[in-house]
Every structure is written in C-alpha cells, then in structure tokens.
Amino acid sequence: MKILRQVALFRHLNDYQLAIINNMCTKESYFAGTVLFREGDPGTAFYMVVSGSVKIYTANDAVQEKILSVMKAGDSFGELALIDQEPRSASAQVVEDTVLYCLRRDHFLSLLKANFEITLGIMQELSARLRETNRQVHDLVFLDERSRITKNLLKIAARDGQRDGQLIYFKVALNYNELAQLAGVKKDTLLQVLREFQERLILRISNEHFILDLSKIL
C-alpha cells in the first residue's frame, strides 16, 4: 500500500482503492540488463518501479539508442500501449537490479473504467510526458552539447541526490554511453565535458558516485 501510494497515478486514491489495486498486482524482480519489452511488442502489462531503475529508449536500424527517460522508484510506465492497443512505442530495459509491481492489461483497463481518479491521473501523466518530450526537442534544437550535458547532470542530481550545502551527492546507474544518449551527444563529447568539470573541481567521480559542486557551476 505504501509503495502504491508513491506512484503518481495512485497517490490520491483512498486505502480501499489501493487495496483493490494491490490485490491485482504481481511483484517481480529483474536483474540488470533484462529487457522488459521491445519497441513494436504488444502491450500486455503496466509497470510500477518499487526499487532500482529502468531505461525507456528507442533504437534505429543501426542499433543506435536514444534514451527517452529513466524510471526510478515511484515511477510507472507501459500504460500507452494498453490504452490505444497499439504496439509498444519504445523499449524498456532494467538498468540495475530492480523490483517492479506489474498490472496486467485486463486489470488495468478495469481500473480505468471503475475509477475516474486513475483515469485523470493517466491523462495528467501523459500530459507531463508530452511536455517533457517537447522540452527534449527544444533542448536538441536550441542548446549546445555542453549545456545539454550540464542540464541532464543537474536533473539527475536534483532527482536522486542528497544535498549538503553547495554539494550534491548522487549515484548514476547509467553508463557513459547511456548518459551520452540521454543528453543527445556522442560519448567522446560527454567524456570531454566531464573531464573539464573535474579539472575545474565542479565534479568529482568515484566509480558511479558523483559529487557536484553547485557553487562552481552556477
């Protein structure tokens, strides 16, 4: 119940409604690297992240990926193909060992029919994702590569980090290839900018742990 209340779509529901959803869900664990579904697959389930992270991405014929978003605890994904009954519009892969709540298509649709609050939440979530897509397009058109890398680091830090004065400590589950995809740049460009940040003491990196000094970047 506590986990379901963290999901944006369900946070306004009462305990009785959450209990119904809880009885419909299955809890599943996945190892890092597991592909949950691929672009073009039929939609069979709606997913909620309990712990870990999942990347949502598209790929072209040359197997070049573009990461659209990274889902963390409390996030949900996979509803679009259940609603319009079209194939999956993107792929989903587990980034680190992850636990998910899964809701099958028939249960998901029955919830939408019975609960206006959930239907409204779906509409609000889809609207938020459309706005985020518009922001990504804007960034690709109007921001240079360094600015896009900086903006994505700040977004990850703000979302996942712990702040101590002007320092933000955060862990990045994505590898450098994936970070580059998220910012829409080449890996060499990403590494060049990260080296510059380290030389200027803006950023310290130890394994996948980052420390960002806001006093030097703002």
Side-chain angles (χ1 to χ4, degrees):
M1 297 278 285
K2 182 179 179 181
I3 293 171
L4 287 176
R5 196 173 293 283
Q6 295 174 358
V7 178
L9 301 183
F10 303 147
R11 65 168 55 110
H12 298 301
L13 301 185
N14 58 43
D15 289 344
Y16 174 74
Q17 293 168 320
L18 290 175
I20 293 175
I21 298 172
N22 186 62
N23 291 333
M24 293 179 176
C25 291
T26 59
K27 188 176 182 180
E28 301 177 5
S29 300
Y30 296 93
F31 291 115
T34 303
V35 176
L36 299 173
F37 54 79
R38 296 189 185 277
E39 187 174 353
D41 287 349
T44 59
F46 169 71
Y47 299 90
M48 296 154 278
V49 182
V50 178
S51 64
S53 55
V54 177
K55 68 176 181 180
I56 309 298
Y57 66 97
T58 60
N60 60 20
D61 293 337
V63 200
Q64 294 175 316
E65 292 184 4
K66 166 57 181 170
I67 295 180
L68 304 176
S69 58
V70 178
M71 300 298 176
K72 306 283 283 187
D75 290 334
S76 59
F77 60 96
E79 71 282 348
L80 189 60
L82 305 188
I83 295 173
D84 64 14
Q85 300 185 46
E86 294 291 325
R88 296 287 191 188
S89 58
S91 302
Q93 184 178 23
V94 174
V95 175
E96 54 189 329
D97 292 353
T98 295
V99 177
L100 301 174
Y101 273 172
C102 303
L103 194 61
R104 300 303 167 189
R105 182 176 183 274
D106 54 344
H107 289 153
F108 179 77
L109 293 179
S110 68
L111 284 175
L112 295 189
K113 293 177 182 177
N115 295 274
F116 173 74
E117 293 89 348
I118 298 177
T119 304
L120 179 60
I122 289 283
M123 294 170 63
Q124 292 171 335
E125 181 69 14
L126 292 178
S127 296
R129 292 180 187 177
L130 178 59
R131 291 179 185 275
E132 177 59 26
T133 299
N134 289 340
R135 282 192 288 268
Q136 289 184 12
V137 172
H138 176 278
D139 290 351
L140 288 171
V141 173
F142 295 107
L143 294 184
D144 60 28
E145 293 176 324
R146 187 182 185 280
S147 297
R148 295 204 300 273
I149 292 169
T150 304
K151 182 175 181 178
N152 276 277
L153 276 179
L154 288 170
K155 284 174 62 177
I156 295 172
R159 173 172 174 169
D160 302 330
Q162 293 185 338
R163 185 164 179 173
D164 182 7
Q166 292 297 309
L167 301 179
I168 302 181
Y169 299 79
F170 59 103
K171 180 180 178 181
V172 179
L174 300 177
N175 59 39
Y176 288 133
N177 283 322
E178 292 167 330
L179 279 175
Q181 294 164 21
L182 192 63
V185 301
K186 294 181 179 179
K187 181 181 177 181
D188 289 346
T189 303
L190 172 75
L191 294 177
Q192 179 182 346
V193 172
L194 293 183
R195 281 194 297 268
E196 175 197 336
F197 282 0
Q198 291 179 87
E199 291 169 358
R200 295 173 55 193
L201 302 180
I202 293 172
L203 183 68
R204 282 177 277 169
I205 302 175
S206 175
N207 296 324
E208 64 264 16
H209 290 84
F210 286 42
I211 304 174
L212 191 63
D213 190 338
L214 295 179
S215 67
K216 293 183 171 62
I217 197 172
L218 299 178

